[in-house]
Amino acid sequence: MAAGSAPPRVLNVNVGVLGHIDSGKTALARALSTTGSTAAFDRAPQSRARGITLDLGFSCLRTALPPQLGPGPGELQFTLVDCPGHASLIRTIIGGAQIIDLMMLVIDVTKGMQTQSAECLVIGQIACQKMVVVLNKIDLLPEAKRQSAIEKMTKKMQKTLENTKFCGCPIVAVAAKPGGPEAPESENPLGVSELIEVLKSQAYLPSRDPSGHFLMAVDHCFSIKGQGTVMTGTILSGSVSLGDNVEIPALKVTKKVKSMQMFHTPVTYAMQGDRVGICVTQFDPKLLERGLICTPESLHTIHAAIISLKKIQYYRGALQTKAKFHITVGHETVMGRVMFFSPAPADFNEEIKENVFDFDKDYLYQEEYLSTDSKPSEENKENGQSEIQLPKQQWALLEFEKPVTCPKLCLVIGSKLDTDIHANTCRLAFHGVLLQGMEDKNYAETFLPKLKVYKQKHKEGQVERVMDDYSVIGRSLFKKETNIQIFVGLKVQLSTGEEGIIDGGFGQSGKFKIRIPVPLFRIAL
């Protein structure tokens, strides 16, 4: 390289390797990788002892920059995020999925879609834009029937993906480790070079923005003698340079960046999307296994939140108000209680501004999240509505059992992780976006009164007499001791169709006055 010339451009794309346990994800990551990180290929002793991935693993594949990603020399770096497949580690998988641009769903070709493969597909639909399906372990198929078995499984997968955002995605057949884990290293993988070409064809320029606050998801933390403590992770937003101060918000500790590396290469700067190791001094790595680091004072710890949300279609059963879920907020998972609400029925079809919550509006309390499988209320049945009306948007108030630290507008996933992991059922219940966090511990007194959520109640009374063309006197709606003032302004409907508003009490016996905006037809009493 000539003196003073710029180093070749390196574009980083994060590729998640997801799938059911024993589908061969780690073997595939190893077969694809040119460089492993400190956290690659099950280096943890517990992982090696149990023969399964227990944590996120990271490695990288470097290849020539494909033509669709711009002219000029350069390299394309795929950072492979190897996610565990075991059902009990779903929260680690969700954390891994939030940092990926492209997903590889690894399927054991002899078994097809399994429970955790389906959950990984759901997570991919929430957190990722593109997917490649990898049919692994083709070496286990008898050679004479191999091609027809691959074609059969390919058709099956195409059918499964038909109604998802990944319809028509590439499906590639490979054997990442022919002969299985015990086979000699001399056994060459099958189909991996074809898979690399497919990954290159699917690579795109992810949206990267170095401006704004620095935020990084740390997945490993360890000390290096004579150097300091290294925190490795993926930058979610902003950028970081040597000498910058970074905060570990969960511990309220601020440290200076002493040095940085990307896959064993020292760097002085890193930005959104990059995988980096940041070295700081005088920090005990045991205090931070995983979590977030950020620009000092840029993150907030919250006790409750308002989210916009959607039910996950594969979750069986209703989402009930007051139910408890495992709530994954950003990169933390805590228990939380939910309360669902929607726009007032008159506003069900109104377009809602994205990522904004309007505290000036009235909202309708829901006993459960409204979906196509909800049952119509008694009131709707009385009004002849056998089908449930669905609003364009629904929200929930989340109340956490312990506070969480997270950025605004972060991904929220609600799950039932205490469901039997051997049951053939999706444990992921809903996903959404955090719109408003509540930092005050006493939010129920200080914040919730701003949230105007009402319950709809239906009660009938009688018209006693007409006062004039614009007002009538009603009875049998309130007891005589009721303070009618608190009901002033509420709407009533006469049996003849006119709508009116309660204007106040009339006398001492619980009677009340109704104001009618449009002149009344004379009612035969």
Side-chain angles (χ1 to χ4, degrees):
M1 187 168 67
S5 66
R9 171 174 160 236
V10 177
L11 172 70
N12 183 64
V13 175
N14 295 317
V15 180
V17 188
L18 286 84
H20 196 86
I21 187 168
D22 286 337
S23 55
K25 298 180 298 299
T26 302
L28 181 65
R30 189 183 274 111
L32 284 169
S33 300
T34 48
T35 312
S37 76
T38 50
F41 317 136
D42 295 341
R43 289 190 183 176
Q46 308 95 302
S47 294
R48 287 203 297 271
R50 291 177 59 185
I52 61 171
T53 299
L54 295 176
D55 208 339
L56 299 175
F58 292 86
S59 55
C60 89
L61 158 68
R62 280 201 170 186
T63 180
L65 201 64
Q68 84 263 21
L69 295 180
E75 281 189 305
L76 174 61
Q77 174 177 282
F78 289 113
T79 295
L80 303 171
V81 186
D82 178 15
C83 295
H86 197 278
S88 62
L89 301 167
I90 190 83
R91 35 184 110 185
T92 308
I93 302 168
I94 294 171
Q98 292 182 66
I99 59 177
I100 61 178
D101 307 305
L102 172 64
M103 167 177 159
M104 281 195 290
L105 181 64
V106 185
I107 303 288
D108 181 333
V109 73
T110 65
K111 293 174 182 169
M113 281 290 276
Q114 294 168 275
T115 310
Q116 269 69 66
S117 333
E119 287 188 339
C120 290
L121 177 58
V122 170
I123 293 166
Q125 286 203 86
I126 296 166
C128 195
Q129 295 310 310
K130 281 192 164 194
M131 184 173 82
V132 174
V133 174
V134 181
L135 303 178
N136 195 16
K137 303 191 179 184
I138 59 169
D139 57 303
L140 300 181
L141 300 169
E143 213 158 332
K145 299 178 182 172
R146 187 174 293 173
Q147 199 49 43
S148 64
I150 289 169
E151 284 168 14
K152 192 176 175 186
M153 187 57 76
T154 300
K155 280 183 183 152
K156 217 170 178 182
M157 288 304 302
Q158 285 168 338
K159 185 85 182 139
T160 301
L161 299 173
E162 226 169 38
N163 297 316
T164 73
K165 74 191 306 189
F166 301 125
C167 178
C169 77
I171 299 174
V172 185
V174 306
K177 186 81 169 74
E182 308 308 318
E185 293 299 321
S186 55
E187 284 285 336
N188 286 326
L190 305 173
V192 167
S193 53
E194 290 87 341
L195 175 57
I196 290 171
E197 289 308 309
V198 169
L199 287 174
K200 285 169 73 172
S201 74
Q202 294 299 300
Y204 62 99
L205 287 167
S207 173
R208 304 286 193 231
D209 182 6
S211 65
H213 292 307
F214 165 69
L215 178 65
M216 175 167 137
V218 173
D219 41 67
H220 295 91
C221 195
F222 54 92
S223 60
I224 298 177
K225 206 169 179 183
Q227 297 286 317
T229 296
V230 175
M231 298 176 282
T232 64
T234 303
I235 300 176
L236 303 176
S237 66
S239 60
V240 64
S241 299
L242 279 185
D244 283 358
N245 282 329
V246 295
E247 183 189 7
I248 303 150
L251 304 171
K252 301 282 186 278
V253 168
T254 299
K255 292 286 171 189
K256 185 170 275 197
V257 177
K258 186 186 170 192
S259 63
M260 295 195 294
Q261 281 194 2
M262 284 191 210
F263 290 102
H264 312 305
T265 305
V267 292
T268 57
Y269 171 85
M271 65 177 278
Q272 183 188 37
D274 287 335
R275 171 147 185 91
V276 67
I278 290 178
C279 184
V280 299
T281 54
Q282 297 175 322
F283 178 67
D284 181 355
K286 292 191 189 79
L287 295 174
L288 184 72
E289 183 192 354
R290 63 175 64 241
L292 297 169
I293 61 172
C294 60
T295 301
E297 297 182 9
S298 63
L299 283 192
H300 304 286
T301 299
I302 60 173
H303 298 266
I306 292 168
I307 66 165
S308 60
L309 79 155
K310 286 189 166 50
K311 184 180 178 182
I312 289 167
Q313 66 186 93
Y314 308 104
Y315 181 77
R316 293 176 195 158
L319 302 179
Q320 304 277 4
T321 279
K322 295 183 182 166
K324 282 187 176 182
F325 290 87
H326 290 85
I327 309 288
T328 302
V329 190
H331 290 259
E332 283 188 70
T333 299
V334 297
M335 292 303 292
R337 194 185 294 277
V338 295
M339 178 192 82
F340 297 105
F341 58 97
S342 65
D347 300 330
F348 265 23
N349 293 319
E350 195 179 288
E351 287 298 329
I352 307 289
K353 279 186 190 169
E354 204 178 8
N355 298 340
V356 174
F357 186 77
D358 189 346
F359 281 95
D360 292 332
K361 292 204 165 193
D362 289 335
Y363 297 94
L364 181 62
Y365 172 91
Q366 302 288 5
E367 290 291 350
E368 64 175 62
Y369 178 91
L370 297 179
S371 63
T372 46
D373 47 8
S374 302
K375 293 181 176 67
S377 66
E378 292 304 314
E379 192 180 329
N380 283 348
K381 283 179 188 170
E382 283 170 23
N383 295 338
Q385 291 178 6
S386 56
E387 280 188 30
I388 192 107
Q389 279 189 296
L390 298 180
K392 283 196 171 178
Q393 180 63 66
Q394 294 178 65
W395 296 269
L397 169 69
L398 300 181
E399 298 184 83
F400 305 120
E401 286 195 354
K402 61 177 195 178
V404 294
T405 302
C406 58
K408 270 187 180 173
L409 301 179
C410 68
L411 174 66
V412 178
I413 296 179
S415 325
K416 283 284 189 185
L417 299 184
D418 43 9
T419 307
D420 178 7
I421 61 173
H422 302 296
N424 184 22
T425 183
C426 178
R427 295 170 297 161
L428 307 169
F430 61 84
H431 68 96
V433 175
L434 192 145
L435 303 178
Q436 180 76 49
M438 298 168 211
E439 294 176 56
D440 189 343
K441 202 174 185 177
N442 301 313
Y443 65 88
E445 291 83 43
T446 59
F447 196 96
L448 289 190
K450 298 179 195 170
L451 181 61
K452 296 186 280 189
V453 175
Y454 66 91
K455 288 186 182 180
Q456 219 168 21
K457 290 198 171 177
H458 179 85
K459 202 170 180 189
E460 289 187 1
Q462 284 88 40
V463 172
E464 184 171 85
R465 68 176 188 273
V466 176
M467 297 268 290
D468 54 46
D469 284 355
Y470 293 93
S471 55
V472 299
I473 303 300
R475 61 180 168 85
S476 306
L477 205 57
F478 305 111
K479 294 176 184 173
K480 66 177 182 182
E481 62 270 21
T482 302
N483 176 9
I484 293 173
Q485 274 309 111
I486 62 176
F487 297 95
V488 168
L490 292 186
K491 289 179 183 174
V492 293
Q493 188 167 31
L494 304 187
S495 56
T496 46
E498 292 90 340
E499 285 195 347
I501 291 164
I502 295 175
D503 210 19
F506 185 81
Q508 304 299 313
S509 57
K511 292 177 186 176
F512 54 98
K513 189 175 176 183
I514 301 168
R515 183 166 45 84
I516 313 288
V518 178
L520 268 171
F521 294 110
R522 283 282 163 191
I523 304 170
L525 295 172

